């Protein structure tokens, strides 16, 4: 999952910002009317090295163009590259409809770097079934809309059902509190023979990422906006609780293993080896464990985030370049509502994925409500090729746990918060109060000037 967290680097760039006006982003200057031919430049085309996904995307483009003969799709490979995005933005070289992460829209909207598509949504009724809290990511404070969500995710507790059974734990009822996690981890580690009860990250920004998730899970924050000013919000009892729990599990219970300073792939590899009991993750870790680390789908379960007071989430979507003509905005909405916002296409996409050995039926928070959500659920169930019953605990609580986005300048903050995570997991004498105080000063410096 942390591969996808690297996308937050884009949020850092956008927060730092390029103070451009709408005109500076490039006025599209497209004079075509809504009835004439339109060429729409989009990105998101998978690279040619991913042949199946690449060909499927182009097949969708061909189907769309056949149904809409006045629209030509110019599909470009790639999504958003932190190294090139600022220059493309400054030079007006963004695609007409371009890929973003949930950390990006607020800054693009505030700097007038995207087009308002609100007036056109009434012609695309499927958009009214998008969950309001998800669509809000692409809206300003007045409710104007500048893009559409594509997918979203949230963190839960990934666990090895076989290891749970071996340790006398119920694989149908994963831990729901951090106290339960500690108890279960100790039972697993007591099996001996290299078993590790609970794993956590502390390197390459992954430690700060998980610290943030764990703070959210007990109702805490990492940063808060007070009267327009962002401040660190973790040097408190909740921050101490997170670090003390990990310290106790590592040094008192010996339930986290000797090897520490772990980063993204390490926990997936440990889970694939069959020796790790549980760690925090999103559902998309499961196919990676299966495909890269020789795991089996039936082995893994997914439960709700322990604590249940919040979880870190995010997602991705598409926005419209500033200065687009009405014709291109309509064409862009036609494309997006055909491609991924069209509930009627779920069955076709699920069928294709299943036939190409891609996972169908993993538990991911849906962007739809109403009829569209029911259509999606029916298609997922029809073509599921993973054991959906293993994720029932996560699904059951998914709607009741608030999903919170990352803090501003997330990757820089995560790098700072790696340090207290590293210290409590590698030094049994680590001073938690001092670690939090030092991190607070650094994070406040990072947040200075962020609006």
């Amino acid at each position: 999952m942390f591969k996808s967290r690297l996308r937050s680097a884009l949020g850092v760039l956008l927060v730092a910002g390029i103070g451009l006006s709408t005109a500076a982003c490039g006025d599209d200057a497209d004079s075509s009317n809504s009835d004439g031919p339109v060429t729409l430049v989009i990105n998101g085309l998978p690279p040619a090295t991913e042949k199946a996904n690449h060909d499927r995307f182009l097949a969708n483009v061909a189907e769309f163009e056949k149904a809409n003969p006045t629209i030509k799709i110019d599909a470009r490979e790639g999504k958003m590259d932190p190294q090139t995005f600022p220059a493309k933005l400054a030079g007006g070289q963004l695609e007409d409809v371009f890929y973003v992460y949930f950390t990006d829209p607020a800054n693009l909207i505030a700097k007038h770097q995207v087009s308002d598509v609100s007036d056109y949504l009434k012609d695309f009724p499927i958009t009214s079934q998008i969950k309001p809290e998800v669509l809000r990511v692409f809206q300003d404070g007045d409710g104007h809309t500048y893009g559409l969500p594509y997918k979203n995710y949230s963190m839960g507790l990934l666990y090895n059902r076989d290891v749970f059974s071996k340790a006398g734990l119920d694989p149908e009822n994963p831990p729901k509190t951090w106290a339960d996690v500690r108890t279960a981890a100790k039972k697993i580690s007591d099996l001996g023979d290299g078993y590790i009860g609970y794993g956590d990250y502390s390197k390459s920004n992954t430690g700060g990422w998980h610290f943030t998730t764990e703070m959210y899970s007990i109702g805490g924050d990492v940063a808060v906006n007070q009267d327009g000013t962002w401040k660190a919000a973790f040097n408190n009892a909740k921050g101490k609780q997170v670090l003390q729990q990990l310290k106790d599990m590592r040094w008192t219970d010996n339930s986290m293993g000797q090897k520490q300073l772990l980063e993204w792939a390490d926990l997936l590899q440990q889970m694939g080896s069959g020796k790790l009991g549980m760690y925090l993750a999103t559902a998309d870790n499961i196919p990676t464990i299966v495909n890269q680390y020789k795991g089996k789908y039936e082995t893994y379960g997914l439960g709700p985030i322990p604590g249940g007071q919040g979880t870190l989430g995010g997602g991705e979507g598409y926005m419209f370049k500033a200065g687009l003509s009405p014709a291109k905005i309509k064409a862009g909405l036609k494309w997006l509502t055909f491609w991924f916002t069209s509930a009627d296409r779920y069955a076709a996409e699920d069928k294709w994925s299943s036939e190409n050995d891609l996972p169908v039926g993993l538990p991911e928070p849906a962007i739809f409500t109403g009829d569209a959500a029911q259509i999606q659920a029916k298609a997922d169930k029809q073509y599921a090729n993973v054991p959906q019953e293993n994720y029932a605990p996560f699904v059951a609580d998914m709607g009741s746990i608030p999903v919170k986005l990352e803090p501003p300048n997330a990757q820089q903050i995560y790098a700072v918060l790696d340090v207290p995570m590293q210290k409590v997991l590698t030094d049994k004498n680590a001073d938690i109060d001092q670690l939090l105080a030092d991190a607070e000063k650094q994070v406040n410096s990072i947040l200075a000037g962020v609006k």
Side-chain angles (χ1 to χ4, degrees), residues 14 80 85 89 94 98 100 104-114 319:
L14 291 172
M80 285 179 69
F85 183 78
L89 181 63
L94 286 177
F98 61 95
V100 295
D104 303 324
N107 300 290
L108 291 167
I109 292 168
K111 294 184 173 70
H112 309 290
Q113 294 164 336
V114 281
M319 300 189 81

Side-chain angles (χ1 to χ4, degrees), residues 5-278:
R5 305 307 321 134
L6 295 177
R7 55 200 182 194
S8 298
L10 289 171
V12 174
L13 292 169
L14 291 172
V15 169
I18 303 172
L20 303 176
S21 67
T22 301
C25 291
D27 190 334
D28 187 77
D30 188 314
S31 61
S32 58
N33 59 44
S34 58
D35 298 321
V38 174
T39 296
L40 187 75
V41 183
I42 64 171
N43 65 4
L45 173 65
T49 52
E50 299 177 14
K51 181 173 172 51
N53 291 324
H54 181 89
D55 291 350
R56 178 61 177 175
F57 192 101
L58 292 180
N60 283 333
V61 168
E63 183 179 344
F64 174 82
E65 289 179 336
K66 183 177 180 180
N68 299 275
T70 63
I71 302 174
K72 171 68 177 176
I73 297 291
D74 180 358
R76 308 286 176 85
E77 287 190 5
K79 294 181 178 178
M80 285 179 69
D81 183 345
Q83 303 302 316
T84 61
F85 183 78
K88 291 177 70 175
L89 181 63
Q93 299 302 309
L94 286 177
E95 294 82 4
D96 298 324
V97 178
F98 61 95
Y99 184 99
V100 295
Y101 304 110
F102 276 17
T103 47
D104 303 324
N107 300 290
L108 291 167
I109 292 168
K111 294 184 173 70
H112 309 290
Q113 294 164 336
V114 281
S115 288
D116 184 348
V117 302
S118 307
D119 290 343
Y120 307 94
L121 295 181
K122 63 182 182 298
D123 296 325
F124 302 91
I126 187 65
T127 61
S128 68
Q129 295 191 57
I130 296 174
K131 290 181 177 178
E133 65 271 23
V134 180
L135 187 60
R136 198 172 297 126
V137 174
F138 295 85
Q139 294 177 327
D140 62 19
D142 296 322
H144 295 282
T145 302
Y146 299 82
L148 296 178
Y150 168 41
K151 62 173 64 174
N152 63 333
Y153 63 86
S154 65
M155 300 279 278
L157 184 72
L158 178 60
Y159 62 100
N160 187 312
R161 292 170 56 89
D162 294 342
V163 171
F164 265 49
S165 294
K166 189 170 185 178
L169 301 166
D170 183 358
E172 307 301 330
N173 293 289
K176 285 195 173 185
T177 69
W178 283 105
D180 291 342
V181 168
R182 183 176 179 182
T183 299
K186 184 69 166 62
K187 288 183 177 181
I188 292 168
S189 63
D190 284 347
L191 292 171
D193 195 27
Y195 281 96
I196 298 169
Y198 180 77
D200 216 334
Y201 292 125
S202 59
K203 186 180 177 183
S204 302
N205 299 12
T206 59
W209 166 48
H210 265 203
F211 177 86
T212 299
T213 306
E214 290 156 18
M215 282 291 287
Y216 289 175
S217 76
I218 58 173
D221 282 298
V222 165
V224 294
N225 190 321
Q226 297 178 340
D227 300 322
T229 301
W230 283 93
K231 295 288 186 181
F234 53 81
N235 184 13
N236 51 36
K238 292 187 185 296
K240 292 179 184 179
Q241 179 181 337
V242 168
L243 295 181
Q244 190 65 53
Q245 165 103 1
L246 293 172
K247 188 177 181 182
D248 290 344
M249 291 172 68
R250 171 69 176 91
W251 300 104
T252 302
D253 301 347
N254 294 313
S255 62
M256 295 187 67
Q258 297 296 316
K259 182 181 179 182
Q260 296 299 326
L261 303 180
L262 305 179
E263 52 190 323
W264 190 79
D266 294 324
L267 290 180
L268 283 77
Q269 185 174 15
Q270 288 183 8
M271 187 60 79
S273 74
K275 294 293 186 178
L276 176 61
M278 52 190 162

Side-chain angles (χ1 to χ4, degrees), residues 368-418:
F368 284 131
T369 185
D371 293 341
Q374 294 180 27
I375 292 171
Q376 178 184 4
K378 181 179 179 180
D380 286 350
K381 184 175 181 179
Q382 179 180 359
Y383 293 102
N385 54 11
V386 297
Q388 290 186 296
E389 63 276 9
N390 286 10
Y391 321 130
F394 177 83
V395 173
D397 284 10
M398 186 166 59
S400 63
I401 298 176
V403 176
K404 301 174 67 172
L405 299 182
E406 294 176 300
N409 290 1
Q411 294 301 319
Q412 294 180 55
I413 291 174
Y414 293 166
V416 170
L417 293 173
D418 270 357

